[in-house]
Amino acid sequence: MVHALWGCSRLKKIQTDYGFMKKIRQDVGNVVQWSSDYLAEIQAVSVDVSKVMRGLVQDEIKWMSPEMWSGIIKKAKAGGLNVIQTCVFWNVHEPVQGQYHMKKFTKMIIDMMKEEKLYASQGGPIILSQIENEYNAVQDALKESGTRYVQWAGTMVVGLKTGVPWINTCNGRNCGDTFPGPNKPNKPVLWTENWTAQYRVFGDPPSQRNAEDLVFSVACFFSKNGTLTNYYMYYGRSTTSFVTTRYYDEAPIDEYGLLREPKWGHLRDLHFALKLCKKALLFGTTFVEILGPYVEARIYEEPKSGSCAAFLSNNHSRKSQTATFRGTNYYLPQHSISILPDCKTVIYNTQTDIGDNLERRYAGVRSVAIQGLNLGTLDLTNNGWSHQVGLEGEKLRVYTLEGSHSVKWKKADSTRGAITWYKAYFDEPKGNDPLAIELATMSKGMVWINGKSIRRYWVSYHSSLGRPSQSL
């Protein structure tokens, strides 16, 4: 997928690195257009679709030094992504303000793509192109001149005969609801900027977008015939322009290349769920069933193959609901979408349970009873119960070096009590890289290192995908 010519300003020097482009293509597979010696943007598509365009998930990673590519690409692929793209910088076709070389530069880039046989018409991976991405932000101010420019740009690129369509797209936070669609009915529905938060200039307040809202918007978009969504940004990175140094500090991968949870993991699971729906999304016919106030089912079904996928949506912002779909009741948290890749089984829901939903997660003690010899079984489930605030070990601060000497420790064995404290020592790793603790063999609890809490873990509780939400 090519988001082909996107202008980026404020660069003094650009050199196109053809060798690096080929290396990225070898490393990732279905990828690539071009890269820069200094700055680069990459975008990636999740869900392998070879013939029919639908169900693509693209992300955007922008402005990082070449030595970071390998690590970021691996994390993007682990997040469910498989197509990479780089950006072209505006100052190359406007080297001096007011002196444009856009047609000449555009032709050079397209000729380079043709030479590498990257267009789908040549058997390559590039299936679409776009000449302008954000021009609507200034078009109205330029009035008639702006309209003439857009018409000129469109005519110019069509005349370069790439053999693939040039498309119009949507930018924003909720393109599943706001985008009227492509300019021709036979073109795909593309969301080229799905803002994972919002970049900030100095003086702006913090901008946040939680994981639940982000994944809801993506699931909504694909439930309404969406073809591709691009996360802007997927990698936060640092910058030195008029925006704050931490350009996109709410991105799924932060400026240091570390995963930002729960956003990265929630998106990964969404991509996995969408991939399970790919046959129905690609070849099925879509229709809508109203299941009640604020509740609907959007279904993709292909009777010949038996492929069927459903998106059950609760659009109420505050109220959870139960919906009946094909004879089965489904619980839907507020403002959420459940994905059923077989139209039967919920494999994913966009809302992680918080607040009034916690009582519906049946984890922990469900019933309490005492079995007596003479009186039989006495059910105490409905008696009043309370929890002790804090643990004795916390009061003694056994997680500190000094506090650990206040209790007697024994060698750990395979038996575990209801609550057990474990103590271990390890040598500090060399270097200044971040440290991760693998907790896959544990169950549920808290961790302290050198007396400092690194928060909770709960690896024994698996998500609907059959694995822990987090194990590191």
Side-chain angles (χ1 to χ4, degrees), residues 283-342:
F283 307 114
T285 300
T286 181
F287 53 96
V288 181
E289 291 183 11
I290 303 300
L291 306 180
Y294 299 97
V295 181
E296 66 182 16
R298 291 185 175 267
I299 305 154
Y300 292 83
E301 193 163 18
E302 205 288 299
K304 291 184 179 180
S305 66
S307 298
C308 184
F311 297 77
L312 307 186
S313 304
N314 177 11
N315 295 308
H316 200 291
S317 60
R318 295 183 300 275
K319 183 180 178 181
S320 302
Q321 304 200 62
T322 299
T324 301
F325 174 66
R326 299 190 174 184
T328 302
N329 292 333
Y330 295 91
Y331 171 72
L332 299 173
Q334 77 277 4
H335 188 61
S336 75
I337 296 177
S338 287
I339 298 178
L340 291 66
D342 58 357

Side-chain angles (χ1 to χ4, degrees), residues 130-269:
Q130 182 183 19
I131 187 63
E132 279 286 1
N133 176 46
E134 297 177 328
Y135 191 73
N136 61 317
V138 299
Q139 183 176 354
D140 291 343
L142 298 176
K143 300 180 180 179
E144 293 85 0
S145 297
T147 301
R148 287 198 302 270
Y149 164 74
V150 170
Q151 293 297 327
W152 171 85
T155 302
M156 182 264 293
V157 294
V158 170
L160 294 176
K161 301 185 184 304
T162 63
V164 301
W166 293 85
I167 43 85
N168 65 310
T169 66
C170 178
N171 293 345
R173 291 193 176 205
N174 298 288
C175 286
D177 294 323
T178 61
F179 186 37
N183 53 19
K184 290 186 180 180
N186 63 339
K187 291 186 177 182
V189 182
L190 305 180
W191 186 357
T192 44
E193 287 190 14
N194 181 355
W195 301 330
T196 58
Q198 181 67 50
Y199 76 85
R200 301 197 303 275
V201 300
F202 288 103
D204 281 352
S207 175
Q208 294 182 328
R209 189 181 189 190
N210 64 39
E212 294 81 5
D213 182 66
L214 177 58
V215 295
F216 177 89
S217 71
V218 176
C220 175
F221 179 71
F222 285 116
S223 75
K224 298 180 178 180
N225 291 310
T227 298
L228 173 148
T229 185
N230 167 54
Y231 302 112
Y232 189 98
M233 302 295 294
Y234 193 76
Y235 163 61
R237 98 310 189 263
S238 301
T239 183
T240 56
S241 61
F242 64 93
V243 299
T244 55
T245 303
R246 298 185 68 185
Y247 176 70
Y248 240 82
D249 57 4
E250 286 292 316
I253 301 177
D254 71 14
E255 61 182 315
Y256 304 106
L258 302 177
L259 305 181
R260 182 176 297 282
E261 296 289 10
K263 190 170 286 185
W264 184 89
H266 214 17
L267 287 171
R268 174 204 59 199
D269 292 347

Side-chain angles (χ1 to χ4, degrees), residues 415-453:
T415 60
R416 293 183 180 182
I419 298 177
T420 305
W421 288 86
Y422 293 91
K423 179 178 68 171
Y425 296 93
F426 59 88
D427 294 330
E428 181 180 359
K430 295 180 180 180
N432 297 316
D433 291 335
L435 176 66
I437 304 296
E438 175 61 67
L439 297 169
T441 60
M442 301 298 286
S443 177
K444 177 185 180 182
M446 298 275 292
V447 178
W448 288 263
I449 297 179
N450 291 340
K452 301 293 184 181
S453 172

